[in-house]
Amino acid sequence: AALVGFGSRSRRASVEALARTLFAAGFDRVLAVQIPAARFSIHLDCLMTLVDVDLVLIDRRLRRSSAVELRPRGEGVATRIHPSVEAALADALGLDAMRVVEVADEHEQWRLAANTLALRPGRVVAYAHNERTNEALAAAGVEVRGVPGEELSRGHGGPRCLTCPLRRDAADP
């Protein structure tokens, strides 16, 4: 499964095209979440991060959003609406429900509290200045490695945004 956001910088048709590409690569579902058209939410990872196998860190404003599930059907795409992002995630992960930690407040959301980097299930890198959100994560059993980032968050880059996947294969030159 894949989770994608769409909003003012993307179109629903683009999500469907991406879904078709992912289905051809072996994915069996794509969950699409509409990103609010607001300055605090440019990307989906500015609003939520899966921080453990059953725990999502999420901004409360995204919790009010439904999610569209896309699945391959013949040459087309079948859709189904989930009442919430958490319900869609739980279904995709085969869980009864997701545990949820909300970002503490709009101030910490603005400073990218939801944009954490999951190192592994239950261990994240997060900006240390988002103290209340980090405390809520710790109370939920997540190990939080706080890093300084006051200046970086002003440019709207969080720990997850500031990373990029690397391919480390001995066969690659």
Side-chain angles (χ1 to χ4, degrees), residues 1-129:
L3 177 66
V4 300
F6 67 94
S8 61
R9 295 171 47 173
S10 58
R11 297 176 307 154
R12 290 180 183 178
S14 300
V15 172
E16 191 169 313
L18 173 63
R20 290 176 196 267
T21 300
L22 292 172
F23 298 152
F27 284 73
D28 67 354
R29 76 176 86 189
V30 173
L31 302 174
V33 178
Q34 187 164 9
I35 299 170
R39 286 185 63 209
F40 69 86
S41 59
I42 296 173
H43 304 124
L44 187 58
D45 62 1
C46 291
L47 296 166
M48 64 175 289
T49 302
L50 191 62
V51 296
D52 205 337
V53 295
D54 65 344
L55 179 63
V56 63
L57 170 63
I58 191 167
D59 180 85
R60 66 181 46 92
R61 292 166 286 196
L62 191 61
R63 291 191 76 183
R64 294 184 281 244
S65 298
S66 59
V68 179
E69 178 181 306
L70 296 91
R71 287 191 173 249
R73 181 175 17 165
E75 296 297 315
V77 174
T79 61
R80 175 176 112 174
I81 305 294
H82 288 273
S84 69
V85 175
E86 298 107 79
L89 284 171
D91 186 62
L93 295 170
L95 303 170
D96 291 332
M98 295 296 298
R99 294 183 302 137
V100 176
V101 171
E102 283 188 1
V103 173
D105 56 34
E106 290 182 16
H107 182 66
E108 288 197 4
Q109 171 58 31
W110 184 251
R111 297 185 312 172
L112 298 170
N115 191 295
T116 61
L117 173 63
L119 299 174
R120 69 174 193 211
R123 180 186 289 172
V124 301
V125 173
Y127 283 145
H129 61 260

